Amino acid sequence: LSVVLLTGAGLLIRSFIRVMQTPLGFETTHLLTAQVNLPAGAYREDHQRVAFFEGLLEDIRTLPGVTTAGAITFLPLTGTAAATSFRAVDKPTPADGDAPVTDVRVIGGDYFAAMRIPLQRGRTFNSFDARPESQTLIVSDALARTMWPGEDPIGKQLSINWGEWLPPDIVIGVVGDARHEGAPGKVRPMIYWPHARFADNHLVVVARTHGDPLQAAAALAARVRTRDRNLPLPKIETMEEVLAASVRERRLIMTLLGVFAVLALVLAAVGIYSVMAYTVGQRTHEIGVRLAIGASRGDVVRLVMRQTVMLTAVGLVIGVAGAAALTRLMRTLLFEVEP
């Protein structure tokens, strides 16, 4: 049992290290996040929601220690997402049900700069794109590679299935891939729209700071209430806290299995010692006779150790076989660890 549990703990620790070392495509340090929810009854018109978030982001950029700020509908690593099918205008129309699928996000402000997601080609959204009639979008590198390998995606057109097939949007930029589902998840293709295109009531504000992001938390909350004192206080946490929460379950399983493995190892050692102490006690008379007829102390020690090693070897053989089976069963829990 100790061999099986130690093997499982070792695999999970190795997998956890791989998870934490895998680049996410964005930087989590010096980043403050705030979930801002506008009541639909008070902000019924799209222009009201757009104006609120544009003004709020301008206010946040002026806070001491804040270098830039942006917003997104679904923050990476939180487990929330939106996805839909799409098709490229310059490609053959796929059959029903065969259209490729992409994640979609609505962003505002300097989201890419705040998250440190690099712009690889083209441009980001500007004031021209901050209009409801704007038909521009930005795609991730994964989507560009998939749809237009070896081609320049700038100026290409995509039609998105958003309840119905929307008129084609023009690709104006390509940004780096971001692992929105965390390291174990695959890098999914992504499309970004400007907030003015689909004015959502709920955005997560991200603010990059010079130093400790929590130092700007109170001021950020105050700016939200200044814009609308009827709004509830936003949920504020650092991106490092979001990252820690995303791996909490994996860390818990790893820790529990590690504790159980250590306990099993201690119990195995105590158990072997107890069995051998009992066995030697039962054979005290035999050992005395062996010594009396000329056996040396080394002979007696080898006699006892031979039995101990045999007992341990049998346990190790069974444990290794069990560990091999466990490794195959744990495949779904492991990240970049070969079975």
Side-chain angles (χ1 to χ4, degrees):
L1 179 61
S2 65
V3 172
V4 171
L5 291 178
L6 284 169
T7 302
L11 288 171
L12 283 178
I13 290 172
R14 185 179 177 188
S15 176
F16 185 79
I17 292 173
R18 292 290 183 90
V19 167
M20 299 307 292
Q21 291 179 340
T22 299
L24 296 171
F26 53 87
E27 294 184 14
T28 59
T29 56
H30 304 298
L31 200 61
L32 190 67
T33 74
Q35 175 73 55
V36 180
N37 302 312
L38 301 181
Y43 295 86
R44 295 174 179 168
E45 302 296 331
D46 287 353
H47 68 86
Q48 293 176 302
R49 298 190 284 269
V50 172
F52 176 90
F53 280 108
E54 285 183 351
L56 176 61
L57 292 176
E58 286 295 331
D59 290 346
I60 293 174
R61 292 188 192 99
T62 64
L63 293 177
V66 174
T67 58
T68 186
I72 190 170
T73 43
F74 302 113
L75 191 67
L77 309 179
T78 57
T80 54
T84 187
S85 55
F86 71 100
R87 59 194 182 197
V89 173
D90 62 328
K91 304 290 183 182
T93 302
D96 291 341
D98 293 336
V101 175
T102 177
D103 278 14
V104 290
R105 300 290 187 273
V106 171
I107 64 172
D110 300 322
Y111 174 75
F112 297 124
M115 296 294 288
R116 299 281 176 85
I117 298 176
L119 176 66
Q120 297 183 344
R121 194 174 299 177
R123 64 175 178 85
T124 57
F125 298 125
N126 56 26
S127 58
F128 174 82
D129 305 298
R131 302 176 303 161
E133 64 272 16
S134 171
Q135 290 183 254
T136 57
L137 52 76
I138 295 172
V139 301
S140 67
D141 186 52
L143 189 146
R145 290 195 313 268
T146 301
M147 296 304 299
W148 303 288
E151 300 180 49
D152 185 0
I154 304 302
K156 302 288 188 180
Q157 293 182 306
L158 293 177
S159 180
I160 315 299
N161 186 0
W162 206 241
E164 60 181 1
W165 287 103
L166 300 178
D169 290 327
I170 300 174
V171 177
I172 63 169
V174 179
V175 295
D177 294 322
R179 292 180 179 270
H180 280 250
E181 297 180 1
K186 295 181 179 179
V187 175
R188 295 170 59 88
M190 181 72 69
I191 285 175
Y192 299 94
W193 276 314
H195 185 225
R197 179 72 187 279
F198 295 100
D200 204 290
N201 284 60
H202 314 289
L203 290 182
V204 181
V205 173
V206 291
R208 180 158 295 280
T209 64
H210 286 300
D212 182 6
L214 287 177
Q215 292 182 354
L220 191 153
R223 292 302 172 91
V224 174
R225 297 300 293 273
T226 299
R227 284 276 161 183
D228 188 340
R229 65 179 59 190
N230 295 319
L231 291 180
L233 286 174
K235 179 184 177 182
I236 297 179
E237 54 188 343
T238 68
M239 198 64 198
E240 290 286 343
E241 291 173 330
V242 175
L243 174 61
S246 71
V247 296
R248 184 177 296 133
E249 181 178 351
R250 184 178 294 268
R251 190 195 302 271
L252 176 62
I253 295 174
M254 178 188 71
T255 302
L256 289 176
L257 192 55
V259 171
F260 291 149
V262 172
L263 289 176
L265 184 61
V266 172
L267 289 174
V270 172
I272 291 175
Y273 169 79
S274 301
V275 170
M276 294 315 302
Y278 175 78
T279 302
V280 171
Q282 293 294 100
R283 300 177 67 179
T284 301
H285 181 71
E286 174 194 345
I287 292 172
V289 172
R290 287 177 179 272
L291 291 173
I293 61 177
S296 66
R297 289 180 176 272
D299 293 331
V300 174
V301 171
R302 281 191 291 273
L303 175 68
V304 175
M305 290 303 297
R306 187 180 304 114
Q307 186 176 359
T308 305
V309 170
M310 287 297 297
L311 189 64
T312 305
V314 172
L316 285 174
V317 170
I318 297 173
V320 169
L326 175 72
T327 302
R328 289 193 293 269
L329 290 175
M330 289 182 62
R331 183 178 301 181
T332 57
L333 297 176
L334 304 177
F335 174 64
E336 290 190 0
V337 176
E338 293 298 325

